[in-house]
Amino acid sequence: MEFVTPIVTPVVDSLIARVKKELNFWFSSSKYVRKMRAKMLELNHTASDLRKKLEVNNANNLVVPTHVPHWLTQVETITKEAEEIPTGGIGCFRFTIRYKAGKGSFDILEKIDDLEIQESKIKWSDEQIPLGMITTSTMPSTSEPVYHDDGTQNMFVSRKAIFERVLKSLELDSNTQKIALCGMGGIGKTTMMKDLKRVVGKRGMFNWVLPVDVGKAHDMIAIQQDIAQYCGEVLTETTRKARADRLGKRLEGMSDNGKNNILVILDNVFEEIDLTDIGLTCPLAKGFKLLITSRDENVCIKMDIETSSILKVSGLEKEEARSLFWETVRLPDEGDLHNIGEDILNRCGGLPLAINTIAKTLKGGKVGTWKNARARLQRRDPKELYAIVGDIFDISYNHLNDEDKSIFVLCGLFPNDYNIPMEELTRYGWGLHLFENTYSVMEARYQTDTSVGSLIHANLLTESDKIGSVRMHDLARAYVLSNFSEFKQASIVSHGDRSEWPKEDTKASCERILLKCAGMSEFPQSFNYPSLSFLKLMNGDEVLKFSKDFHKEMEKLQVMAYDKMKHPLHGVSLCFSMGLRTLCLNSCSLVDKDISFCGDLINLEVLCITRCGIRKLPSTIGKLKKLRLLELTGCVNLRIDDGVFQSLDKLEELYLSVSDAKGISFTSANLRELENLITKLYALEIEFVKNVIQAKHVSFEKLERFKISIGCPLKKQKDMFADKDSEEYSFRNTLKFVSNINMLFKCKINELISRTEELHLSVKDISYLEVISMTPSQHSMFCKLKVLNVFKCAQLTHLFTISVANGLTQLESLTVSSCHDLTSLVSWCDGVNVMELPQLVELELYDLPNFTSIIPNNDISASQPLLSKEVVVPKLSKLTIRSLEKLEQIWASNICSGEKDNVSMLRVIKVIDCDGLVNLFPRNAMGLLRHLEELTVKRCWSIETLFNIDVNETLISMNTCSLRSIKLEELEELREVWEINDENNSGQLIRGFEAVESIHIEGCKKFRNVFTPATANFHMGALLTMSIRKCGEDNAELVENGEEVVENSEEEEMTSISSLQEISEVTEYSMPVVAFQSYSFNKLSYIDFRKYQGVEVVFEIESPSINNKELLLPTTQQQQYSPLPLLPSLERLDLINMDMMSHVWKCSNWNEFFILHQHQTQSSFQNLTFIWLQECNSIKYLFSPLMSKLLSNLKTLSLNICDGMEEVVSNRDDDEVLTTPTTTLFPCLDRISLSLMNMKHIGGGVVKGKTSVVHDELELSQVSGVTWSLCQYSRRIKTRGCHALLSVVPSYAAGQMQKLQELDISYCSSMVEVFETKEINDNNITDCSSHVDQGSDVALLIPRTRNITMHKLPNLKSMNINDCDLLKYTFTFSTLESLKTLEELKIVNCKEMKVIVREEYGEALDKKVVVSIPCLKSIELDNLPNLEGFFVGMNVDFQFPSLDYVKINDCPQMTAFTFGDSSAPKLKYIHTWLGKHNLEYGLNFHQISIPSSDTSSVCPAIAEGTPWSYHNLIEMHVNDDDKVEMLVPFSELVRLQNLEKIQVIKCRGLEVFFEEVRNNESRIVLKFPKLREVELQRLDNVKYLWKSNQWSTLEFPSLTRLSIELSSGLEYVFTAAMVGSLKQLQELDISYCKHMEVIVKEEEECDANVDEIVFPSLKSLKLVDLESLKGFYLGKYDSSFPSMNTLGYNFGNTKIRHTGLDGFTRGDDDYCKNELHPLVIWIASARNEDSESERQISWATFSNFLGFFSC
């Protein structure tokens, strides 16, 4: 047996070990449980930390370790397993439970150990998600254009085809793998590449896009690094080969065997690149695409790109280049410079960059500059474009002096397109010792101004649109930065682009660096430039950090500038740069807002700290003994330590201002120091809001540059009288003073007036301006003033004397306002009677009730003009006067020609609220208006006319003006714009208003006409728009009363006025108002007349006789005198509320008029595309057939509510007929909208004489006349309210409606046909033979009917007919064949409609016909009481392959859709007013037989053949129907077996939802087995929804959601008897039902056996704003809510108090007892969802509903 021992012993030991282990689970169960709990607690803490870290990384776009999500999922799984282990009651005698607890805890502990090991291996980093990864792929809509470009290339239409071709090659199904854009530099390749990158990213075409800017001197290591950066890879390898291998593996992994698509973009490739060096294979692997841009096609070929995939981007086409050039220089493509510009442009070779550069250089240049540029460029071969551009800068630079060169090079540091502040150039230049032989900052500033002016003149700099700034062209900047060896500076705008950084071998020599730090997280550690003298850092984020000693190696640093650096700066870091001469901090964050560190920089001469939130100027600043300029602007509540100012011995310039309105809090010591300091300063900016210096010995003698404010802050004011200069870098010597005269004298600020450029003055107790001067007799005290603003000077009677005014030789802007005693600007002075302001550009006078003139008239009784001959303001450009009640004249009425030069430069005149003003201009004022561009006159109720003109030879030949805009509003007495006096009847062309582009007249009651016969000779060649609104009301009254019209017929009147002599003899109001009697404005494009009363004719056309001698004159003379063509540029005509208008066009002889057109190159009204007439009730028709010939381009016609219009086109006034046999009208008319109650037909008819129309095979032939149709070419036709209209499309237009797509007809009460039909002969011949297959029972085409008009509608897509009571059908059967594109058909409220398609043949067909309407998707038939069917003919089947929506409502006679079969495979439902019904037989519902119900005694069966009865109602949708009173009668309730959803909204007439049953023989239980959701809104009159009583009970076994809102009539929701069926109800939401008292109501009459109110599935209950709610259920039974976890209640606006609630229920409430599912309660306030709060409470806490409300 011994031999057995070696075998048995291991087995026994193994079994014993296993038994011991299992027993250990029982013995150590409590220990394992305790340990598991502790471990689980630690694990959950760790998981919580990881979740937070995960959220942070996701928020910051950082990479999340791969295993983190899976690890967290495992934690959740283990947590659930641990919760399932029975840890309670594990006593010694509960063997099974104790064992399971021990074993389960032990297993959990092992899993926790594994998770802890995994967690220890998770490595977090701050690695960003790779830049090249496309995280979203949003496809653009089909309507969105794919091609986008920058502002320059918006005009480059020639580039679009290339762009789309490249995009197509990049598609994944394209076999092309490599694509190249090839072309010379500056051609636009990079721009197109960026557009492509954006589009493919947006479309989600690639998972990765890796763009690399290669550049000319490409560094493969840098290229690899760029690719790695976009891949998110870190390359640690040092050799090119190793790095390439690493990239290759990375790209291979990213591709995942072609599952991910990768696009590599190489931009600016100058030399062949081995693709293996960047990790790519040859050929490219699956999923890879390569796009490169290069200047050399050979480079592309060498890189193995097929020639067919190398797309050449050429220069701009000639017209594109010309457009770019002339738009850039902002000159018209004409004039003296045209030929020179064309020569220069030809040398640019279509290169956009060169064109832009040259054009910007030449912009604003004189002729000599252009010729010089042309000569220089002509020396070069036109092909050497780069050399040409380089020569421009090199030659110009070498001609500069040393100071100008220094400023030019300094400008090269600033970023592209930057507005370079000239003040910064001065301050930086001072620190860099750029200014030789200058001894003050002020002198340096003058030198900067001089140099900048020279550089602008040399086209090396360009002017900025910001005052005080200058700009540098991109190419000029590139020229500076590319010459590092000479200029030794670098501008690093993109810190990630290493090519912008100085190379390693040039670091030692680099002297200046500008670095934009946007996006930089850490400053470079190797920032070591020992020769650096200038450093400017810009746009640093808060995360950017610096080492405290990064300035340590910059001992030569002279200028340091920080701009918008957000990370708090430590001043101690600057202390290493002891040689600093200039320190500028702008919008930076400083540690503790403390600048005391600056005191250690003892060599500082310029210290500027602006908008840094500084609150204190510390005493340490006093140590800066060399400081010359100190600026602290934009501070907050600035305080200044005592002793600072007295220590700054060399200070020359001081700028102090705060950003708030409180001003600086100066101490007494500060003020004393300032008094001494000011005497030494050259520049001072300061504001005294609270306290003011008042020293007797203060002197401002040295100040050359200042901004001083007393009594108000210096910052810009928002009111109209404040400083209007909004330029950031502008500086103008400014004084602002708001106080009294005593304060003015005490502070001695008036000493500066002689040097002030801008003065804002509000002194209450001065009577004239000279009072503020220390020496009032000194007339030159205001000689430097450029801006003067005087306001709220209560005692001011005049500003100054004439002699003082004449000293204002530089005044540019004068504003005077709210000085109520002011009568004139100046007063008389002995020996001087002329006031001259030679530089005044803008004069504004506001709210001066007693003001009459600038210079008072000696004759008090005479009217005083504002601008008399004594006022000379030759440069006055803008005049604004407002609320000058006593002003009667602006100019004297007898102004002579010499006086007109005094104000001849006026460009803008605005006159508002000047009631005393009678004449705006003197007679013959055209000399005053030579430069006038804008004229605005409003609410001047005495003006009758604007311009009084005497026609004479001198005026005609010499006077022109620039007036572009005339705007007149609310001038009650205005009768006309021009009053013409031509005593000699010269008939000469008046050339005073040829520049007018816009005329707007509104609210002028007496206004009659813009153009009268007297103005027929006006030259208005530039007029573009004319708008006259709400004018002529008084004229209309006179016409109606017969006081102003000579009662002659139109014929008598026309013959009585045959010459200008006769016109002059007729009184002005003896003829009807004609809007246009003159046509000398060939550019007029828009006419807008609205409520222009009295106008009878808009265009009156007088045709001279054919035998008139004018036709025999030479062509040049014909063009001079002939009025043709009339308004050839008119595009839009709007005529609205023109009550008296009888004609739009009226011509005495149309035939002669058209004969005259044969001699014209243009046609009258040839560009008119849009006509809109509305509420013009006197017009009978719009066009004559002859007139319509001129409107060949008309596209849109809208005629609305013109009650007198009977025809659109009529020949009633045509005396002659066309000689041609046919007429084509309005070939471009696309859209017609007509709402004309008396219109009998749309367009047409027959020209005078009887016409026989014969229709054969859809072709129209004329026998003895001409027919026309207004709508034969239209795509959209809409008629509304055309009550006299019998049909829309006449029979003779059949076959002509080839373009019609949309037809909308509504409220045409007399319409009997949409498409007019007409019999042609008496033979009823139906030809079917050619369409029927022999031996077949089915014909596939529609039979032809020869005796009926057949309309063809091949493009009709939509047809909508509403409220046409006499219409019996829509289409004839023969028309169906052409409805190949019809998609939508809607017919509503047509009482007589019997069929949609009318049967038109007399005999039944022997063989079946199949009709297909292939595109029809939607049919709506609503309220058609006599409709029998869609088609009721026999032996015809219909196919509707696309039909998916049919609505049939209120069609009681309709028992069949068609009598044949109807196939609609996509149609699943029919919609009615009740909602959506299921269909079992499609549209063949005539075959349906509905079985009787078991409750037929109570609910009789519905008639057979009705598909939209209650029995198949699936969803009930009743919206916005106030007529419905009862939703479902009781007889139909039993049929709602398929109803799934109810939605009833805004039915105010609804009183009964489900009809209640009374006195039934037996009790009925009505079930709604499928009803799942009910939504009710705005049912104000419904008191209850459903009601169970002793005769009936309603049950809803499937109802899961009920929502009731804004139903004020409801008092309860359910009865107690109904609750038992609500077993599936999960959501109950009731809101804003103000009469709701309870949710569940107990009814005593109901005999149902109810023991308990139970909602077993109810999870969410929300009760919002129920003002009358007393409780949920107040009956006698207990209630139960075992599943509820959400309760919402809104306390807002409730009338009850919490103590007024009777309780949630009165019985016992039983809730869910599981404490693991707490109740979530939200409480909202006053319907404001934002104020909702949410809390969780246990069910034990929710033991009493009333108690919850009390909380």
Side-chain angles (χ1 to χ4, degrees), residues 427 441 445 583 595 598 604-610 617-618 621-622 624 626-633 638 640 644-645 648 650-657 677 681 683-685:
R427 298 177 183 186
V441 178
R445 186 174 292 110
L583 175 62
I595 61 170
C598 294
L604 269 185
E605 298 187 31
V606 176
L607 176 60
C608 309
I609 303 178
T610 59
L617 183 62
I621 300 298
L624 303 178
K626 297 182 180 181
L627 195 64
R628 293 175 179 265
L629 186 152
L630 173 61
E631 179 177 6
L632 293 176
T633 57
L638 184 65
I640 303 171
V644 174
F645 292 140
L648 302 177
K650 291 190 176 182
L651 194 66
E652 300 173 2
E653 302 187 0
L654 175 64
Y655 304 89
L656 295 176
S657 66
L677 181 64
L681 296 179
L684 175 63
E685 179 177 341

Side-chain angles (χ1 to χ4, degrees), residues 401 505 660 828 1138 1562 1567 1653 1712 1725:
N401 59 41
D505 57 350
D660 54 4
W828 287 102
M1138 307 284 285
S1562 61
K1567 284 189 177 182
I1653 303 300
C1712 175
S1725 175

Side-chain angles (χ1 to χ4, degrees), residues 344 358 361-362 368-378 392:
I344 294 173
I358 301 303
T361 302
L362 296 177
T369 304
W370 284 55
K371 290 182 177 179
N372 183 51
R374 179 176 62 179
R376 290 176 179 270
L377 297 179
Q378 284 178 340
I392 293 174

